[in-house]
Amino acid sequence: MAKKRQEEPPKGAPAWQATFADLMNLLLCFFVLLFSMSTVDAQKFELIAASFSKTFSIFTAGSTSIGDGMMIGNGVSQLPELDDFINSVGRTAENTPEMEKLDDLQSEVQAEGLKQSEELSERIEEAVEENNLTGDIEMQVTAQYVQLTMKGSLLFNSGSAELKEESKPVLNKVGLILERYAAGTIEIEGHTDNVPMTSKRYASNNELSSARALSVFDYLIGTTNLDPARIKNSGRGEYVPIADNSTDEGRARNRRVEIRIYNEISSFE
């Protein structure tokens, strides 16, 4: 019987070695690419190191400062310097041209808002005088709004959130003024004195003040063409007094309803 001819092994490297070599080449190229992307700007690094070495001497000693705890001691002793450095960095950031431009812009906006509020207050003041409301309404002007303040005794009986009949003619005139001059947001706030509530209907002054603001809101919505979507109402209770609650006169001043007419710059949704 003839012997089988032994097959010769294939020439060259095995197929898996070629694949492995290709993989290694790809990995090498990948890490070279990463290294090239992370190259440090030597000049910038030296500038940063120099600035730290001038500020904190701990960086100048090098490895010799580790001996005998010198590095730790120097670091602790320089904590106040670190705090000063951080604060100085913050002050520097505040004094940048960008921050100065932002401050200038804010000042311009505030000045324009105050101008709008003053012009609005002049028109409203004329209307208040024409409607003989000078004794019933106090006016205040800020860069955000013109505020009309009405005494609580004019609008409500003690401990009640139901509008007096005699207050409605005043609110009718106020509603006309708001329709004519309030182009932005309107906010109604109720305030009380600090005398604890004894009413069974309202558990606290905060509830009473909220109910009073809501009563004014409901009345104005029902008697004017004002858009309810741009009128807000809230109660502040006894927490924002404008007078001393230890006297009858002071408590009477604190019981009030404020209507704020925001100018076009300061109106918010």
Side-chain angles (χ1 to χ4, degrees), residues 21 34 74 94 120 145 162 185 197 203 269:
L34 286 181
N74 288 342
E94 291 176 358
L120 178 61
Y145 53 78
E162 185 177 351
T185 302
M197 282 297 302
E269 297 299 332

Side-chain angles (χ1 to χ4, degrees), residues 55-96:
T55 307
F56 308 109
S57 60
I58 186 173
F59 291 105
T60 61
S63 59
T64 59
S65 64
I66 298 177
D68 299 327
M70 290 176 60
M71 183 173 181
I72 297 175
N74 288 342
V76 172
S77 66
Q78 292 177 63
L79 285 177
E81 295 181 28
L82 176 60
D83 184 61
D84 293 340
F85 175 74
I86 294 173
N87 290 334
S88 66
V89 170
R91 287 192 295 270
T92 302
E94 291 176 358
N95 294 328
T96 59

Side-chain angles (χ1 to χ4, degrees), residues 206-237:
N206 203 37
E207 288 188 12
L208 176 62
S209 63
S210 298
R212 288 180 170 180
L214 182 59
S215 292
V216 175
F217 169 84
D218 288 338
Y219 186 82
L220 291 175
I221 292 303
T223 57
T224 67
N225 295 318
L226 293 170
D227 182 5
R230 61 186 183 90
I231 305 178
K232 297 190 173 187
N233 65 90
S234 62
R236 305 299 303 276

Side-chain angles (χ1 to χ4, degrees), residues 124-139 148-155 166 170 173-174 177 252-253 255-257:
I124 293 176
E125 188 174 10
E126 291 178 0
V128 167
E129 292 175 355
E130 290 175 0
N131 288 280
N132 299 317
L133 296 175
T134 306
D136 299 320
I137 293 177
E138 294 181 4
M139 287 183 55
L148 309 180
T149 302
M150 292 178 287
K151 295 178 181 178
S153 58
L154 169 69
L155 302 172
E166 55 265 34
V170 176
K173 295 176 181 179
V174 171
I177 293 173
R253 288 194 63 198
R255 297 190 294 269
R256 67 198 190 276
V257 171

